[in-house]
Amino acid sequence: MTTYARIPPNLLTRLGSYCLTAITAILLTITLVSTTQATQIDRIITISTQEWPPYQMQTGNDQTGAAIDALACVMRRLQQPYKVIFLPWGRAQFAVEQGKYDGFFSAAKNDQRDSYAVFSEPFIAQTWNYYLLKGTQVPLDPQTIKQQAYFGSRKHSNTTYWLKQNDFQLIHQADHINELLALLQKGRIDAMMENKLLFEDAIAKAGLPMEMFEVVHNRTLPLGVYFGNQFVKRYPEFVEQFNRHTHACRFEETPTMATGKATSN
């Protein structure tokens, strides 16, 4: 006669609990491994940009600025090697459209860029203001500024694209903001619609006081990274992985700043 040992019910419950815990741990490990593998790219990611103080600057081999810090924060969290290449802004964008580089930044979203690249979650603060000389004859309300002011703007910039799309009187485009400041001082243009930090940095370097200008707020339009369609097609999970870390690395303006750093991780 065979004798069977009786297993206490509470032991069966504990064994079931242990098995469930072990299975959960295994599944979590598999998920973490899969996530890590999804974020790893088999080469250095190349991101083009422009010289654009105080967001991104290069002196020799040193790359600094609020946007440089914010991007570094995200890539560090992803443990992803990358390289930033400084170019004229038009070339920086065109090179991504042609697939030479993987992405460009710091950029604001627009339809033209959406045709050849995918925009990340925006995580770099940007404020657009209208700037006119003190004593201007143009009334200082946004609608009248649009109707009466003749604008200058930077070539290949999203500010220029926005002015054109919204039917402003854009009469001059320049490569650099310093050229536009000179035209504004001479009365060759009535106004600029420009990034707040960029404008403040430019007039500080030019030795011009802020009191020379009238400032009218336009809009807030945060910046991000555009990743080219060719890159996204090859690595379809990367942008989603990138976006998971943008909030922790977000750069915000403060009322008196012309430079800044991203939130540390």
Side-chain angles (χ1 to χ4, degrees), residues 18-211:
Y18 294 150
C19 289
L20 181 60
T21 301
I23 292 170
T24 301
I26 292 169
L27 290 174
L28 180 60
T29 301
I30 292 171
T31 300
L32 290 173
V33 170
S34 298
T35 301
T36 302
Q37 289 175 342
T39 52
Q40 291 177 342
I41 305 300
D42 57 3
R43 59 179 173 79
I44 295 173
I45 292 177
T46 54
I47 299 180
S48 56
T49 192
Q50 63 173 325
E51 185 78 20
W52 200 43
Y55 288 92
Q56 55 257 3
M57 299 158 281
Q58 179 165 280
T59 304
N61 293 325
D62 294 331
Q63 297 180 346
T64 58
I68 292 288
D69 292 341
L71 177 65
C73 174
V74 175
M75 293 301 199
R76 185 166 59 248
R77 284 172 162 263
L78 289 172
Q79 299 183 337
Q80 175 60 53
Y82 72 101
K83 180 180 181 181
V84 175
I85 301 100
F86 278 77
L87 295 169
W89 192 222
R91 284 175 54 197
Q93 296 171 74
F94 183 70
V96 173
E97 183 177 4
Q98 297 299 304
K100 182 176 181 180
Y101 299 126
D102 301 319
F104 65 89
F105 88 123
S106 299
K109 184 175 175 62
N110 70 42
D111 294 341
Q112 184 179 20
R113 293 165 177 170
D114 287 343
S115 67
Y116 61 86
V118 176
F119 192 52
S120 75
E121 186 74 23
F123 63 110
I124 302 164
Q126 176 184 227
T127 299
W128 281 356
N129 293 327
Y130 300 113
Y131 295 95
L132 302 88
L133 281 181
K134 190 77 74 175
T136 179
Q137 299 302 304
V138 178
L140 298 177
D141 67 271
Q143 190 57 38
T144 307
I145 289 173
K146 177 179 179 178
Q147 293 171 351
Q148 296 188 14
Y150 292 100
F151 279 80
S153 191
R154 290 175 290 112
K155 294 178 180 177
H156 309 295
S157 68
N158 199 44
T159 48
T160 296
Y161 178 84
W162 187 88
L163 289 168
K164 289 179 177 179
Q165 290 295 105
N166 289 277
D167 299 320
F168 280 71
Q169 300 182 84
L170 179 61
I171 64 169
H172 192 91
Q173 295 184 50
D175 290 319
H176 302 291
I177 190 172
N178 292 342
E179 299 174 49
L180 298 172
L181 282 172
L183 293 174
L184 186 61
Q185 289 179 271
K186 294 174 184 177
R188 299 277 298 278
I189 58 175
D190 299 313
M192 298 166 58
M193 199 282 291
E194 192 52 87
N195 174 292
K196 173 182 180 287
L197 296 186
L198 180 65
F199 187 88
E200 292 176 357
D201 184 82
I203 66 167
K205 289 178 178 176
L208 302 175
M210 197 67 204
E211 291 73 23

Side-chain angles (χ1 to χ4, degrees), residues 207-221:
L208 302 175
M210 197 67 204
E211 291 73 23
M212 282 183 60
F213 304 96
E214 299 284 3
V215 182
V216 179
H217 177 72
N218 180 9
R219 64 193 305 220
T220 299
L221 190 68

